[in-house]
Amino acid sequence: MPYHPDVIIVAPPYHPASNGSKALLVLCHELNLCGLETFHLNPGCWPWDPPHKPWAAIYPEIYPDNPLNAPVVVRWLLNKWRHTVQPDTDDILASWDAKYDIPGREINRMWVPTIDESIFHVDRRTQTENRRGFCYYSHKHTLAGGKVPDWMRAGGISVWDDMRPGDKQALAELFRRSEKLYSFEETAAVEEAALCGCPTEHVLNEYMPEPASPGSREEIVQSYRVRQAESARQVSHVARMIRSRLYHFQGGLT
């Protein structure tokens, strides 16, 4: 029997090192808890049979159009909108952070927690004075042509290149024993490190001309807690908008 959900989240194949991949999965779960039947659709599954009722598609910012021809469109900006075409005026817009907002457009904030704090946490047995060495994060920065200093490559551990994707236990242990994380870009690893007691130093560059998060470890954790407290309300608000739009669309069909 065909499955006819209320919401379809269009998501690229899951990557364990991608915070965007995790955010889309978490959102799927949260919307189901809000009473909207929701599931993921990988672009590799197209063509497909659309639901036989009003439904909504949620597209991350990497999709500038509406390839599923959904009657209701939600665009979730997990990063900056880099397309020449602007979202349609009828689209529901939500962004992960204010820095991703599109100027002149009404945008809802929607952030979801993606860090497993049963893994990423401070181990009281690991005191600050017992920390040794450092690690660094450069992925998109490197893909954009950025360089990591030789001394850093020689003496540090690359979070992206030297750790197995998805091995969060090992990554948490790295953060719990490291004196510092050097970050060349915006990444959830900064928050994961902070929750493990590891401070971050932002290395400013053309890819990241300004620090992507507060400076001290304490400020990073505090910012994370504030967003964590607001998350359920933000998701519920967007869910209500989707439900209202579906209701009115259904009324227009009758």
Side-chain angles (χ1 to χ4, degrees):
M1 179 179 295
Y3 179 49
H4 302 300
D6 301 306
V7 180
I8 294 171
I9 298 177
V10 179
Y14 178 76
H15 192 293
S18 167
N19 194 58
S21 290
K22 289 180 281 187
L24 291 164
L25 284 176
V26 172
L27 180 63
C28 184
H29 173 69
E30 294 295 329
L31 289 177
N32 276 294
L33 291 179
C34 289
L36 289 171
E37 289 190 87
T38 306
F39 80 85
H40 277 249
L41 180 69
N42 188 302
C45 296
W46 301 344
W48 67 298
D49 183 25
H52 298 160
K53 65 176 184 179
W55 58 282
I58 297 180
Y59 297 105
E61 81 292 337
I62 58 175
Y63 299 101
D65 49 7
N66 182 11
L68 296 185
N69 197 28
V72 177
V73 171
V74 181
R75 300 199 182 278
W76 193 18
L77 279 62
L78 299 170
N79 208 317
K80 292 182 179 179
W81 184 264
R82 304 183 188 276
H83 310 287
T84 55
V85 60
Q86 292 298 302
D88 192 88
T89 55
D90 291 334
D91 294 349
I92 298 172
L93 302 181
S95 69
W96 180 266
D97 190 272
K99 58 178 167 285
Y100 302 147
D101 290 356
I102 299 175
R105 298 295 299 270
E106 181 179 344
I107 299 184
N108 305 277
R109 189 74 59 243
M110 189 164 66
W111 180 96
V112 296
T114 58
I115 298 175
D116 185 348
E117 293 190 51
S118 69
I119 298 175
F120 293 95
H121 57 83
V122 173
D123 187 339
R124 299 301 178 187
R125 296 171 298 176
T126 305
Q127 302 299 323
T128 302
E129 58 269 20
N130 295 329
R131 293 175 177 269
R132 296 289 184 273
F134 65 88
C135 50
Y136 63 91
Y137 191 102
S138 173
H139 174 56
K140 294 179 180 177
H141 159 259
T142 300
L143 293 177
K147 302 296 183 182
V148 176
D150 291 340
W151 66 267
M152 192 175 292
R153 288 189 178 278
I157 296 175
S158 168
V159 172
W160 186 269
D161 294 325
D162 297 333
M163 307 297 292
R164 286 194 317 180
D167 192 345
K168 296 301 183 181
Q169 292 284 0
L171 183 58
E173 288 299 324
L174 173 66
F175 289 148
R176 277 192 281 269
R177 69 174 183 265
S178 296
E179 293 180 277
K180 183 182 293 187
L181 166 67
Y182 291 95
S183 178
F184 290 79
E185 61 194 72
E186 182 175 3
T187 168
V190 169
E191 293 168 329
E192 292 171 339
L195 291 170
C196 292
C198 178
T200 292
E201 181 175 327
H202 295 285
V203 183
L204 303 186
N205 55 82
E206 291 185 4
Y207 191 82
M208 185 177 67
E210 298 179 357
S213 58
S216 71
R217 185 192 72 82
E218 293 76 14
E219 289 173 320
I220 293 170
V221 172
Q222 182 181 23
S223 174
Y224 182 82
R225 295 297 180 217
V226 169
R227 288 181 289 168
Q228 196 175 42
E230 290 290 313
S231 178
R233 181 190 62 79
Q234 293 172 353
V235 173
S236 295
H237 176 69
V238 172
R240 287 194 298 271
M241 294 182 70
I242 295 172
R243 188 176 287 109
S244 176
R245 195 71 63 87
L246 292 178
Y247 174 81
H248 288 296
F249 190 89
Q250 187 173 25
L253 292 178
T254 59

